[in-house]
């Protein structure tokens, strides 16, 4: 049985679902939808939201439901206890991260934006909540500086480059997805422990970082 995962490349929730396949070395078919394709996800699960897992003709939405479901195939690997400090760090950095991330994603050479209509759909939808991307991009040095300060606080929380708390847990799914989005932002400085962690998790999960296209 080949499991199909419908995703957008830039989507942090989709990264979470992809990670569990890579971490467990399980094969899956990676299907990237155009961002303005509403019919496909709505036809599958009744709403336009990815990721969606297709298994035996059945469809499962919700990234962490997919992670749990796939982790339960064979021997589970996300056995570590989460650390509330990681959740706090993620939530303290989320709004700045996504404010800086969305305008950069809108310009990035990603397959979900392969048509002008798909890219315009994303831009229009996201600008409606963030305000004009032009304003965000005009002056992001201060916010990048704040994220760099926060990364210095993350470094001592990383117990091992292979698992933030020493043993793989759902914290690794959430934290790496967050760092994956961050990798699209140029000017971010990774302390050595954070750099070792994000490179190792990228290798172990098979999810590439955006360093090469950071803007
Ligand atoms: N709770 C959902 C959230 C998924 C989600 O928000 N996906 C976004 C992409 S990052 C989406 O599909 N949005 C549709 C749209 O913006 O058109 C999950 O964890 O899977």
């Amino acid at each position: 049985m080949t499991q199909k995962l419908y995703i957008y490349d830039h989507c942090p929730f989709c990264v979470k679902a992809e990670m569990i396949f890579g971490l467990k070395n399980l094969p899956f078919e990676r299907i990237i939808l155009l961002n303005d394709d509403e019919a496909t996800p709505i036809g599958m699960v009744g709403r336009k939201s990815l990721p969606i897992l297709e298994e035996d003709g059945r469809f499962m939405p919700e990234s962490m439901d997919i992670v749990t479901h796939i982790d339960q195939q064979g021997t589970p690997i996300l056995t570590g206890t989460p650390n509330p400090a990681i959740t706090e760090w993620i939530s303290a950095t989320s709004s700045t991260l996504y404010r800086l991330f969305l305008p950069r994603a809108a310009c990035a050479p990603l397959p979900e934006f392969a048509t002008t209509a798909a890219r315009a759909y994303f831009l229009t939808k996201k600008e409606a909540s963030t305000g004009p991307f032009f304003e965000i991009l005009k002056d992001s040095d201060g916010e990048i500086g704040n994220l760099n300060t926060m990364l210095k606080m993350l470094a001592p929380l990383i117990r091992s480059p292979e698992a933030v708390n020493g043993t793989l847990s759902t914290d690794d799914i959430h934290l790496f997805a967050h760092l994956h989005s961050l990798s699209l932002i140029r000017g971010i400085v990774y302390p050595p422990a954070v750099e070792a962690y994000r490179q190792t998790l990228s290798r172990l999960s098979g999810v590439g970082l955006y360093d090469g296209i950071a803007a």
Side-chain angles (χ1 to χ4, degrees):
M1 169 192 60
T2 306
Q3 299 176 97
K4 295 182 182 174
L5 192 60
Y6 296 84
I7 60 161
Y8 307 122
D9 195 87
H10 74 273
C11 161
F13 302 100
C14 302
V15 166
K16 295 178 190 188
E18 279 191 81
M19 283 180 76
I20 193 65
F21 282 96
L23 291 170
K24 294 195 71 153
N25 275 317
L26 293 173
F28 69 105
E29 190 178 341
R30 188 173 189 265
I31 300 166
I32 300 178
L33 297 185
L34 284 171
N35 203 255
D36 61 341
D37 176 357
E38 296 183 332
T40 304
I42 290 173
M44 290 169 172
V45 297
R47 62 190 159 107
K48 184 190 184 279
S49 180
L50 296 186
I52 295 171
L53 174 70
E54 180 179 356
E55 202 180 73
D56 293 332
R58 289 193 305 271
F59 298 103
M60 175 185 280
E62 285 302 321
S63 55
M64 292 311 289
D65 289 350
I66 296 170
V67 168
T68 303
H69 175 71
I70 297 300
D71 196 29
Q72 282 164 357
Q73 294 184 4
T75 309
I77 58 165
L78 301 177
T79 54
T81 307
N83 175 0
I86 298 299
T87 312
E88 279 164 30
W89 188 88
I90 291 172
S91 100
T93 49
S94 267
S95 62
T96 306
L97 166 60
Y98 288 106
R99 206 176 117 78
L100 297 180
F101 172 78
L102 291 172
R104 289 162 173 85
C107 301
L110 300 173
E112 59 267 40
F113 306 132
T115 65
T116 304
R119 196 178 292 277
Y121 178 99
F122 180 85
L123 189 140
T124 307
K125 194 166 186 176
K126 301 302 176 187
E127 274 197 334
S129 57
T130 63
F133 284 170
F134 167 77
E135 294 293 341
I136 299 173
L137 290 167
K138 213 166 49 177
D139 180 21
S140 45
D141 289 359
E143 285 167 300
I144 289 174
N146 291 342
L147 289 175
N148 284 336
T149 302
M150 289 300 289
L151 281 166
K152 288 186 190 153
M153 294 160 78
L154 173 65
L157 296 175
I158 297 178
R159 301 260 310 270
S160 152
E162 301 192 347
V164 67
N165 302 322
T167 302
L168 278 174
S169 68
T170 50
D171 277 354
D172 293 292
I173 301 292
H174 298 302
L175 182 59
F176 179 77
H178 204 68
L179 294 172
H180 178 267
S181 295
L182 195 65
S183 71
L184 191 57
I185 302 168
R186 199 168 56 203
I188 295 294
V189 180
Y190 298 98
V194 181
E195 179 61 9
Y197 174 77
R198 69 187 195 110
Q199 294 295 348
T200 305
L201 263 287
S202 173
R203 179 172 49 80
L204 294 175
S205 67
V207 179
L209 293 163
Y210 286 144
D211 296 3
I213 57 165

